[in-house]
Amino acid sequence: MKVAVLDIKGKETGRKAELSDSVFGIEPNNHAVYLDVKQYLAHQRQGTHKAKERGEIAGSTRKIKKQKGTGTARAGSIKSPVFRGGGRIFGPRPKDYVQKLNKNVKRLARKSALSIKSKENAILVVEDFNFETPKTKDFKEILKSLGIDNKKSLIVLGDSNNSVYLSSRNLKGSEVVTSSEISTYKIMNANNVVFVEGALEGLESNLNKK
C-alpha cells in the first residue's frame, strides 16, 4: 500500500511511502488488541493502595464498657470497624497488577491496531523535520497544516528528538514517541497516527521479527 508523503506545510512532496501489507494490511485480531490494551492500562496502576485493619490501628486494648447491663450491643475494642476511627473491614491491600503477555501477541496487537487505522485512512506520512529550538507554536503550526490540530494525534519518530518532544509536551491532544516506544493503546487512543518518513523502516523491522 502506498501513501503520499507530505511536507510540514501539509502539501504533497510527490513521493510515495510504501506501507508493508504485513504490518498495515493484516486482518485485525481484536482479541489481541484487547489483551495488549488491558495489560497497558493495568501497568499504569501502582498498586500501593492500603487501608489499616483493626490489628494495625494505634489505640487502647482496654475493654471500653462492661459486657452486660448497658442496654446496647456488647463491645470490646475501640479499634473495632463498627466504631468511627476503627479499622477497615476488607480494605484494599498492596497488589501487583503486572500481567504477562507473549511478545508475538503484542506484535500482532500492534499490527492489528495499525491495520485498523490504515482502513480508517487515519495514517499520515510526513517528511523528516526538526526544530532548532523547542517551540510549541511551531509544532502547532505543523498539526494545523496537516489538519489534525483539533484531533488526538500520535507522532511517531524514527529516533528520539528532544526538540520535537519538548515542543509537543505542552499539548494535551498530541503525543510524540519513537517507533520502538509505540504501543497498541497509544495507536488506538489517537484519531490520527503520523509517521515521520524515517520511522517506517525501523517500525516494520521491529514488528516483523520472528
Side-chain angles (χ1 to χ4, degrees):
M1 185 174 70
K2 291 187 177 182
V3 176
V5 178
L6 307 176
D7 60 18
I8 59 174
K9 300 292 184 183
K11 297 178 181 178
E12 292 190 15
T13 61
R15 299 195 309 277
K16 298 275 187 180
E18 184 72 40
L19 299 184
S20 171
D21 287 339
S22 63
V23 174
F24 295 91
I26 69 167
E27 182 64 33
N29 187 315
N30 292 328
H31 188 61
V33 172
Y34 159 74
L35 290 175
D36 201 12
V37 169
K38 188 174 82 161
Q39 185 201 47
Y40 177 88
L41 293 175
H43 289 184
Q44 305 309 300
R45 303 185 68 175
Q46 290 187 19
T48 53
H49 39 55
K50 177 71 175 76
K52 289 185 178 181
E53 298 181 3
R54 64 183 297 162
E56 299 166 315
I57 296 288
S60 173
T61 57
R62 177 181 68 89
K63 185 170 173 65
I64 58 176
K65 62 181 181 181
K66 62 182 183 177
Q67 180 79 346
K68 292 178 170 289
T70 62
T72 57
R74 55 195 174 185
S77 172
I78 196 68
K79 297 184 280 186
S80 168
V82 300
F83 294 126
R84 181 177 177 275
R88 183 163 172 194
I89 305 171
F90 303 129
R93 295 179 176 182
K95 181 179 177 180
D96 184 5
Y97 286 97
V98 169
Q99 296 181 9
K100 290 185 178 178
L101 199 59
N102 220 324
K103 281 184 180 179
N104 288 333
V105 175
K106 289 176 74 70
R107 288 195 193 104
L108 175 61
R110 275 175 280 174
K111 289 193 279 190
S112 297
L114 290 169
S115 297
I116 290 169
K117 291 298 177 185
S118 179
K119 286 180 180 178
E120 295 173 352
N121 293 320
I123 288 180
L124 301 174
V125 179
V126 180
E127 64 181 2
D128 293 343
F129 65 92
N130 191 16
F131 300 133
E132 290 184 6
T133 56
K135 209 163 190 179
T136 304
K137 184 179 178 182
D138 293 342
F139 190 81
K140 284 182 73 174
E141 282 297 320
I142 293 177
L143 296 182
K144 192 172 182 180
S145 299
L146 296 173
I148 56 173
D149 51 324
N150 292 322
K151 299 177 182 177
K152 284 196 286 186
S153 58
L154 180 68
I155 316 298
V156 184
L157 306 177
D159 299 306
S160 59
N161 186 319
N162 206 41
S163 293
V164 177
Y165 168 71
L166 292 175
S167 299
S168 70
R169 191 171 59 173
N170 224 15
L171 300 176
K172 190 176 181 181
S174 184
E175 186 174 3
V176 171
V177 296
T178 62
S179 58
S180 60
E181 296 169 340
I182 197 168
S183 71
T184 306
Y185 174 81
K186 290 178 180 178
I187 296 168
M188 297 303 295
N189 190 46
N191 297 119
N192 289 90
V193 182
V194 181
F195 287 96
V196 170
E197 201 173 1
L200 291 172
E201 186 180 346
L203 175 78
E204 290 173 359
S205 65
N206 282 341
L207 295 183
N208 284 326
K209 285 180 181 176
K210 292 183 179 179

